[in-house]
Amino acid sequence: MVPRIQHLAKVLLVTLLASACSSDGGSSTPAPTPTPTPPPGGSTTTTTITITSAGVSPRDITVTVGSRVTFVNNDSVPHDMASDPHPEHTACPDITVGFLAAGQMRATNNLNAARTCTYHDHNQPTTATLQGVIRIQ
Ligand SMILES: [Cu+2]
């Protein structure tokens, strides 16, 4: 009788250990929420983007919902700022200010939708220094 009880105890112990093991494998800590990696330099809170021969500055800005952003062309040549994608400009049409002669400035429409918009110079659509990000939050 005694050996049988010992055997039962052993079976019980093994079962407990097995279940402890399986429950441990089943539970997992929640994965950390991924945060978007900001570009080098981060995002700047401003509503003015200045264009010079070096490109647009700041390249990455954050504005509040309802803001307007002003593009200032301080370059000696014209620029034609438009929403991505090129050449349709359909993603964020409200940020398209269009043709800016040297020295000219123009504001976007009110940016009423919270989202991230990117733009380019329609005359130089592949020039990276003339591409930027407007984060509407
Ligand atoms: Cu374009």
Side-chain angles (χ1 to χ4, degrees):
M1 209 54 189
V2 171
R4 184 171 162 74
I5 288 167
Q6 276 179 341
H7 176 71
L8 277 172
K10 230 182 214 176
V11 168
L12 190 64
L13 185 64
V14 167
T15 307
L16 280 172
L17 283 173
S19 73
C21 250
S22 74
S23 81
D24 186 50
S27 76
S28 60
T29 50
T33 308
T35 41
T37 310
S43 190
T44 303
T45 302
T46 182
T47 54
T48 302
I49 297 168
T50 303
I51 309 166
T52 67
S53 57
V56 293
S57 179
R59 294 277 306 277
D60 185 329
I61 69 168
T62 300
V63 302
T64 53
V65 172
S67 299
R68 289 177 161 208
V69 171
T70 302
F71 282 88
V72 181
N73 183 5
N74 279 346
D75 201 356
S76 55
V77 297
H79 291 282
D80 190 353
M81 309 314 292
S83 164
D84 284 344
H86 177 77
E88 293 84 5
H89 308 156
T90 47
C92 293
D94 284 336
I95 69 167
T96 298
V97 296
F99 186 87
L100 292 172
Q104 199 176 10
M105 66 173 74
R106 190 173 302 121
T108 64
N109 289 336
N110 291 329
L111 307 178
N112 293 326
R115 56 182 169 166
T116 296
C117 293
T118 54
Y119 62 87
H120 61 278
D121 183 340
H122 187 60
N123 293 332
Q124 301 175 60
T126 60
T127 304
T129 55
L130 289 167
Q131 296 166 359
V133 183
I134 299 173
R135 299 170 195 270
I136 306 155
Q137 294 174 357

